Amino acid sequence: MDRYAMEVSGGCQCGAVRYHATEMFDNAHICHCRMCQKAVGNIFAALVAAPREAITWTRGTPARFRSSEHVDRGYCRDCGTPLFYDNTEGNRVNFTIGSLDHPELFPPHANTGQEGQVPWFTTLTSIEDGGETETGQEEWASAIKSTNHQHPDHDTDRWPEPAVGLGQSKKTK
């Protein structure tokens, strides 16, 4: 598995936990095992690793659940976002690709844990494309956007941002 220098940041949905890595491994993959399915609440976990020594927790501390003798699953205690798979005896931490600020940079190169793969997984590319969330639901999408408490996909000096009065604007890093 190759290792390369790359600045990567990510975190949970509410912004209470943020991380930064200065190196990554080229192991982006999808795991279909039942334990990963349960850990992320989905039919697979999309993961990519960073060397343990290249990781810094820049805001908050993730909660951990010991899912087996040597594996911790990290998540945000406040919002529940699954953040990582950590073989505590290994040299890396596998982050959930969806928790990265730029998940598009890590296309999976392998499927693992095939014993748990749901039978209909291979049909996903053939189902109807429902379009963008906002299409046909503009009022609903506007209400969501105006009350959004999700942390942005970049580091901020603090979060949540302070409330602003009329005539002022929010500024993020």
Side-chain angles (χ1 to χ4, degrees), residues 135-158:
T135 304
Q137 302 178 48
E138 289 78 10
E139 187 176 321
W140 175 81
S142 178
I144 296 295
K145 188 174 183 177
S146 68
T147 61
N148 181 0
H149 299 290
Q150 181 168 297
H151 190 275
D153 286 334
H154 57 82
D155 289 327
T156 57
D157 291 331
R158 52 190 171 158

Side-chain angles (χ1 to χ4, degrees), residues 71-120:
V71 175
D72 281 353
R73 305 290 180 143
Y75 63 95
C76 173
R77 181 179 322 278
D78 294 344
C79 68
T81 301
L83 296 169
F84 62 82
Y85 164 98
D86 180 8
N87 174 345
T88 59
E89 296 180 345
N91 66 343
R92 62 187 181 268
V93 173
N94 284 275
F95 288 112
T96 54
I97 293 175
S99 72
L100 293 163
D101 291 343
H102 293 284
E104 72 279 6
L105 298 177
F106 299 95
H109 302 294
N111 283 292
T112 63
Q114 299 299 119
E115 71 281 359
Q117 182 176 312
V118 296
W120 49 265

Side-chain angles (χ1 to χ4, degrees), residues 43-55:
I43 63 166
F44 60 80
L47 302 165
V48 66
R52 190 176 302 284
E53 69 277 4
I55 300 167

Side-chain angles (χ1 to χ4, degrees), residues 9-74:
S9 292
C12 67
Q13 186 172 21
C14 75
V17 179
R18 296 280 301 161
Y19 59 84
H20 181 83
T22 56
E23 290 184 87
M24 297 299 290
F25 285 106
D26 66 345
N27 76 326
H29 65 285
I30 292 174
C31 184
H32 298 271
C33 81
R34 190 64 183 134
M35 195 173 285
C36 278
Q37 290 173 349
K38 296 288 272 189
V40 300
N42 207 329
I43 63 166
F44 60 80
L47 302 165
V48 66
R52 190 176 302 284
E53 69 277 4
I55 300 167
T56 305
W57 296 97
T58 59
R59 182 180 299 135
T61 303
R64 289 173 173 262
F65 170 70
R66 179 63 50 108
S67 63
S68 61
E69 185 177 351
H70 303 291
V71 175
D72 281 353
R73 305 290 180 143

